[in-house]
Amino acid sequence: MSVISVGQAVVLGAVEGVTEFLPVSSTGHLKIVEGLMGIPVDDDAVVGFSAVIQVGAIAAVLVYFFKDIVRIVSAWGRGLANREERYHHDYKFAWWVIYATIPIVVVGLAAKPLIEGPLASLWVVAGSLIVGSGVMWAADQMGRHKRGEDDTSFKDAMLVGGSQILALLFPGFSRSGATMSTALILDLDRVAATRLSFFLGIPALTGAGLYELKDALGTGAGAAPLAVGTVVSFVVAYASIAWLLKFVAKHSFNAFVVYRIIVGVLLFGLLATGGMSS
């Protein structure tokens, strides 16, 4: 019997879809909801399930940004065949995404026991939610929001891509929050920061999902819950992406900062009073 039911998979898929690309931490929210439903957050099958349903959210990005991805991949292919095409920004950007993914892959493999063990604690999630909120607020205040997507550089991609490690090691910090905050500090505008976060997340999250698939199926997650959770994640994530891009075009990240602090404080309270197990 699967450790996660189909009904629970629907809920977790919806949570994943809503939170994967919002700077509020999908991993943190999944762990909180799992805890509320009595699902052991450090169970290998549960960890694997959480990684696999991320593929649904990534599929939503692939569909939503299909034209952009085709343009970038096409430029990369032309550049491999033609030296003159290698000066095109899209060709360079494709390589930057590849290079910027390497740090999180190396750390993810090296620190896997810690990530799936002590760092999976809800105490870590609560603390990371609050600390990450401070970082996000400071980044939004510091950034001059003067650079667009076409102004991104190799340095930008590496720094923003490397910041994903924070979310990997500290669930609750938020991959989106870390990457967007770093991009804002580098003076990218909010829309450019958000789109860069999306593109850099594609290889990292897809790789993590595929890497965990075998273990998730082999440790009791169940094929049906995995399939349902992934589909729900895709549908909800697509809507979430469309909403976020419209929101950041006209608003700051302050609403997310306040929300994260509230959730972090409530989670600390539940853990301290025994209302939820870490």
Side-chain angles (χ1 to χ4, degrees), residues 60-224:
V61 172
L62 294 176
V63 173
Y64 192 91
F65 292 107
F66 182 74
K67 291 182 179 180
D68 295 292
I69 294 171
V70 169
R71 188 191 74 242
I72 292 168
V73 173
S74 297
W76 183 69
R78 290 194 302 271
L80 291 177
N82 186 341
R83 184 183 298 271
E84 293 181 0
E85 294 288 338
R86 296 175 189 175
Y87 296 98
H88 197 286
H89 184 270
D90 286 339
Y91 171 79
K92 297 177 182 179
F93 185 76
W95 276 115
W96 297 345
V97 171
I98 294 171
Y99 294 145
T101 303
I102 295 174
I104 193 172
V105 172
V106 173
V107 174
L109 292 174
K112 193 171 186 288
L114 283 175
I115 295 168
E116 297 181 354
L119 293 178
S121 168
L122 287 177
W123 287 105
V124 176
V125 171
S128 298
L129 278 167
I130 295 174
V131 172
S133 298
V135 173
M136 187 181 302
W137 179 84
D140 209 9
Q141 300 301 310
M142 291 168 55
R144 289 178 286 179
H145 315 294
K146 66 177 184 177
R147 300 171 57 207
E149 188 174 346
D150 291 337
D151 297 321
T152 55
S153 65
F154 173 69
K155 176 184 175 182
D156 296 329
M158 291 303 296
L159 289 174
V160 174
S163 70
Q164 295 178 110
I165 294 173
L166 288 171
L168 183 67
L169 296 178
F170 305 106
F173 202 96
S174 170
R175 190 201 66 81
S176 296
T179 52
M180 291 177 191
S181 295
T182 303
L184 290 173
I185 291 173
L186 294 170
D187 293 331
L188 270 69
D189 63 48
R190 294 186 183 98
V191 173
T194 302
R195 285 174 59 88
L196 182 59
S197 175
F198 286 146
F199 289 126
L200 288 173
I202 291 173
L205 295 177
T206 301
L210 296 177
Y211 179 79
E212 294 284 357
L213 180 58
K214 180 181 178 181
D215 290 340
L217 289 172
T219 53

Side-chain angles (χ1 to χ4, degrees), residues 126 129-130 259-271:
L129 278 167
I130 295 174
Y259 172 78
R260 289 169 56 103
I261 292 174
I262 292 172
V263 173
V265 170
L266 288 175
L267 182 55
F268 266 130
L270 287 171
L271 292 172

Side-chain angles (χ1 to χ4, degrees), residues 2-10 13 49 53 220-231:
S2 172
V3 296
I4 297 175
S5 69
V6 171
Q8 290 172 328
V10 171
F49 175 89
I53 63 173
L226 280 171
V228 170
T230 302
V231 170

Side-chain angles (χ1 to χ4, degrees), residues 223-243:
L226 280 171
V228 170
T230 302
V231 170
V232 172
S233 173
F234 168 82
V235 174
V236 177
Y238 189 91
S240 179
I241 292 167
W243 176 84

